[in-house]
Amino acid sequence: MALPRRLRVEPLEDRRLLAITVNTLVDELDGSITDGDVSLRDALAAAPVGETIDFSVTGTINLTLGELKIDKALTISGPGASLLTIDASGNDPTPDENYGDGSRVFNIDDGNDGNLIEVSVTKMKFSSGDCLGDGGAILNRENLEIADSVFAHNVAGISGGAIHHSFGRLIMTDCLVNENFSQISGGGIYLDRL
């Protein structure tokens, strides 16, 4: 009589992309990163937790659909601050005036104050944020590291012309914060609480 064979079960391997590569400067949200064009907005929506987003394009991404939401741990790695600009003026009806009627570039918040996600942003320029609230370019409520980046010509209606940071940790390395403005406090960077 033959003995039953033991069933061997092996765990599935983790299958993730090495990176999602943004290959268009167009600000679109068509829900696909497999249709031949990958916008930054689509990459942010499709990326799994812990993913890296990089770029094969240079120039200016003009945000016509408003701010970009980051609500999970990600690494966003640009080609260089002199090569890639994310410009928030695309949905601003008065881009030459600071009326707070536009948007910021990034809103980094997972909505859970008890959980701080890790976000890393490198090698890009943030410009022309014009929001009524806090954080002209970035409103951050997570652990954020920014390196080799430039913040210029961003405006906040309340605080943090370039960056409004609350909760978590903010680490900035080799960044230039120049000609940003806020109506109340922190023309460049406003640290709410650490």
Side-chain angles (χ1 to χ4, degrees), residues 83-96:
L83 299 173
L84 181 68
T85 298
I86 304 177
D87 185 316
S89 68
N91 71 331
D92 188 342
T94 58
D96 296 325

Side-chain angles (χ1 to χ4, degrees), residues 157-176:
I158 299 177
S159 61
I163 301 170
H164 178 101
H165 172 74
S166 55
F167 306 108
R169 170 184 77 242
L170 174 65
I171 298 172
M172 295 181 72
T173 307
D174 296 325
C175 292
L176 175 64

Side-chain angles (χ1 to χ4, degrees), residues 98-194:
N98 298 322
Y99 294 143
D101 55 351
S103 71
R104 65 182 59 88
V105 176
F106 285 150
N107 182 347
I108 304 172
D109 185 4
D110 72 348
N112 180 356
D113 292 343
N115 177 51
L116 294 171
I117 61 172
E118 302 290 330
V119 176
S120 173
V121 177
T122 60
K123 300 178 184 174
M124 59 187 66
K125 180 179 179 181
F126 299 88
S127 73
S128 303
D130 181 21
C131 73
L132 201 54
D134 296 320
I138 295 178
L139 176 61
N140 178 55
R141 293 187 175 106
E142 304 297 339
N143 287 333
L144 174 62
E145 293 189 30
I146 307 170
D148 304 311
S149 295
V150 173
F151 294 83
H153 311 290
N154 298 289
V155 177
I158 299 177
S159 61
I163 301 170
H164 178 101
H165 172 74
S166 55
F167 306 108
R169 170 184 77 242
L170 174 65
I171 298 172
M172 295 181 72
T173 307
D174 296 325
C175 292
L176 175 64
V177 179
N178 188 33
E179 296 183 28
N180 298 278
F181 177 78
S182 71
Q183 296 290 336
I184 297 177
S185 57
I189 301 169
Y190 182 82
L191 302 175
D192 189 3
R193 58 184 226 204
L194 301 173

